[in-house]
Amino acid sequence: MIHKDCLAIVALTVFTFGCANVQRSVEPDVVEVTLPASADRVKAAVTKVLDDDEYDVDWKDGSQLQTDYRDEQPSVWDWLVKGRLGVVRSRAEASVTPETEQSSRLRLQISSEGKQTMFQGWGPTAPQVPQSAENKLRLIKNELKIVQDTYTTQTFYGSKP
C-alpha cells in the first residue's frame, strides 16, 4: 500500500514540475498604420525615436530597418543584473512605404527576449511597456506632430499659475 502512495506522489510531482516548464508562444508586438506624413518625415521620426531609445538605427534599401538587440538596463553592473536578476532585451524592425505624397504606411515590430538567471537561455517574452510597439507609435506621432493632444508635463499636471 505504501508503494502505491509513494508512486502516486512521485507521479503527481513529476506531472506538476513538467507542466510548470511549458512555455507559451509569444508573438512579436506589431503595429501597422497609415500616417498623414511623407515617407521621409516618417523615417526621420522613426529614426529619432529609436535612436533616442538606444537602438542602432541603419536603414536598408531606403525603407527597411532592422536593429540589433539593445540592453534594457545599461550600467556598470550589467554582469550582475544579467547573471542574478534576469534581463530583457528587445529589437525593432520597421518598414515605411509611401502611399501618396502626403501619406505613408508604417509597419513597426518589436521583438523581446528575456531570461531570469545566467543559467537559462533567452526565450521570447512580451515587450515591456516602454518598448512596446504602441508606445513607439505614440512617440513617432508626437514627433510628427499629428496627434490630437500632445501630452507634456504642463498639460498632464495642469498649467502653472
Side-chain angles (χ1 to χ4, degrees):
M1 188 62 125
I2 294 176
H3 295 292
K4 289 182 181 178
D5 292 339
C6 289
L7 185 60
I9 291 171
V10 169
L12 182 61
T13 304
V14 169
F15 176 74
T16 302
F17 284 113
C19 290
N21 289 330
V22 174
Q23 291 184 353
R24 60 184 171 88
S25 175
V26 177
E27 297 295 320
D29 196 10
V30 179
V31 292
E32 286 191 57
V33 65
T34 300
L35 298 171
S38 66
D40 292 335
R41 285 187 58 216
V42 172
K43 285 193 322 188
V46 169
T47 300
K48 181 178 183 334
V49 166
L50 293 179
D51 193 43
D52 287 350
D53 206 18
E54 306 295 325
Y55 287 96
D56 293 327
V57 178
D58 184 27
W59 289 92
K60 306 285 186 216
D61 301 328
S63 65
Q64 301 292 320
L65 167 72
Q66 184 171 5
T67 67
D68 289 330
Y69 286 106
R70 71 179 281 281
D71 287 332
E72 303 293 330
Q73 297 134 342
S75 74
V76 175
W77 302 102
D78 274 351
W79 62 274
L80 179 63
V81 171
K82 290 177 183 176
R84 293 290 176 206
L85 304 176
V87 70
V88 174
R89 64 184 185 180
S90 61
R91 66 179 178 194
E93 295 178 25
S95 69
V96 177
T97 53
E99 287 190 340
T100 66
E101 276 189 31
Q102 294 303 318
S103 70
S104 46
R105 187 93 178 139
L106 170 66
R107 182 180 191 279
L108 181 63
Q109 174 178 318
I110 307 292
S111 303
S112 292
E113 292 183 344
K115 65 180 187 173
Q116 294 177 351
T117 67
M118 70 177 128
F119 302 113
Q120 284 184 324
W122 292 99
T125 186
Q128 297 173 341
V129 173
Q131 303 312 321
S132 70
E134 282 294 325
N135 189 50
K136 296 295 178 216
L137 178 61
R138 180 187 62 82
L139 294 172
I140 291 167
K141 286 180 176 181
N142 279 347
E143 186 66 29
L144 292 169
K145 311 265 190 284
I146 58 173
V147 292
Q148 285 77 14
D149 297 318
T150 55
Y151 292 102
T152 64
T153 305
Q154 286 183 341
T155 59
F156 185 74
Y157 290 112
S159 60
K160 294 181 180 179

